[in-house]
Amino acid sequence: MRTKSQSSVNLKVIFTCCSILIFLVIFFARSNISSSKPISKTNLSQEKEEQNQAKPEGCPTTQQCTKMPISLSDALVHYATSNVTPQQTFDEISVSKRVLDKKSPCNFLVFGLGHDSPMWASLNHGGRTLFIEEDKAWIEIVTKKFPNLEAYHVVYDTKVKHSDKLMELGRSEECRSVTDPRNSKCELALKDFPADFYETKWDLIMVDAPTGYHEEAPGRMSAIYTAGLLARNREDGETDVFVHDVNRPVEDEFSATFLCKGYMREQNGRLRHFTIPSHRARAGRPFCPVDVNRRR
């Protein structure tokens, strides 16, 4: 009986092992058949879609590229299809462009919203370009066409016919004091503009507005003076200031007096370029640099 029992146990063990072995053979065979099936069109489509999502839109598979920003493409289309001539000539624009090529992306303040505004914003791509404009209706027209432009509506309380009086006031000690324009006692300082106007460290300032070609127009007396004050009152560094239409008496006299001939770097056509250093970074700096020739 004992021998028969052992024989029975051995048969059971052998049967169990064979069953497990057969099960494993069938399992692996099915796995191989499944993995060797042809790839369906659905799988190919899913794989292709995943690859397209992993690469920049519109770029070849083997290389990376950067999509042109909408603001730049809008500007290109605008100037390619427009018959309107920008306010400045090619040579005048080139003066500011050379500075922007070095400093951009930067903070760029522009007095005036015009046909050349998309160009200025594009040349300062990646930076901040803020336009200050007196005509609210014009802001709506331009920003509707170019929604990426940032523009503030402001009001001026000066007139060209009062420019001589304002020049005399500008020579007072109050107007030679360097401070935040909001705290200035000088009547030429612009005090009621948006907070950003005063609190941003501007690297470039372009004065090409407000209107100044007739006696009742606001003129650029305060814009020029305040541009110089913003430049002097920054904590450190320097600001490049550009004034357009210096063929007119107001732009000529006020830029020479309040931006200073000693800070002027270049004049090309009707455009002047000044580089004004911070006066807060060095105490005791005179409002305008001392003319060495005059001292002699």
Side-chain angles (χ1 to χ4, degrees), residues 40 139 218 255:
S40 68
I139 292 177
S255 65

Side-chain angles (χ1 to χ4, degrees), residues 87 110-121 129-146 148-154 156 206-211:
Q87 290 91 323
V110 183
F111 284 85
L113 184 68
H115 297 292
D116 53 3
S117 296
M119 175 193 66
W120 293 127
T129 305
L130 175 64
F131 299 93
I132 301 295
E133 174 58 41
E134 64 197 282
D135 188 338
K136 192 172 185 179
W138 178 242
I139 292 177
E140 293 177 359
I141 292 171
V142 176
T143 54
K144 184 177 181 179
K145 186 174 183 181
F146 302 102
N148 291 309
L149 295 182
E150 183 182 8
Y152 286 167
H153 173 245
V154 297
Y156 298 91
M206 173 73 71
V207 181
D208 205 1
T211 308

Side-chain angles (χ1 to χ4, degrees), residues 221-290:
M221 299 80 68
S222 291
I224 292 171
Y225 173 81
T226 305
L229 196 55
L230 289 171
R232 291 180 176 89
N233 193 54
R234 63 181 291 165
E235 292 182 6
D236 51 31
E238 60 186 25
T239 305
D240 289 281
V241 182
F242 305 88
V243 180
H244 194 229
D245 296 318
V246 294
N247 56 307
R248 302 191 302 214
V250 166
E251 286 79 355
D252 174 29
E253 295 170 13
F254 276 75
S255 65
T257 302
F258 298 112
L259 302 182
C260 305
K261 292 180 180 179
Y263 289 142
M264 190 169 79
R265 295 292 174 261
E266 181 180 358
Q267 177 171 339
N268 193 315
R270 297 171 297 155
L271 185 82
R272 280 182 187 161
H273 170 207
F274 301 82
T275 302
I276 302 177
S278 165
H279 282 216
R280 291 173 59 187
R282 197 184 87 183
R285 190 191 293 269
F287 189 82
C288 285
V290 177

Side-chain angles (χ1 to χ4, degrees), residues 89 118 125 289:
T89 66
H125 174 63

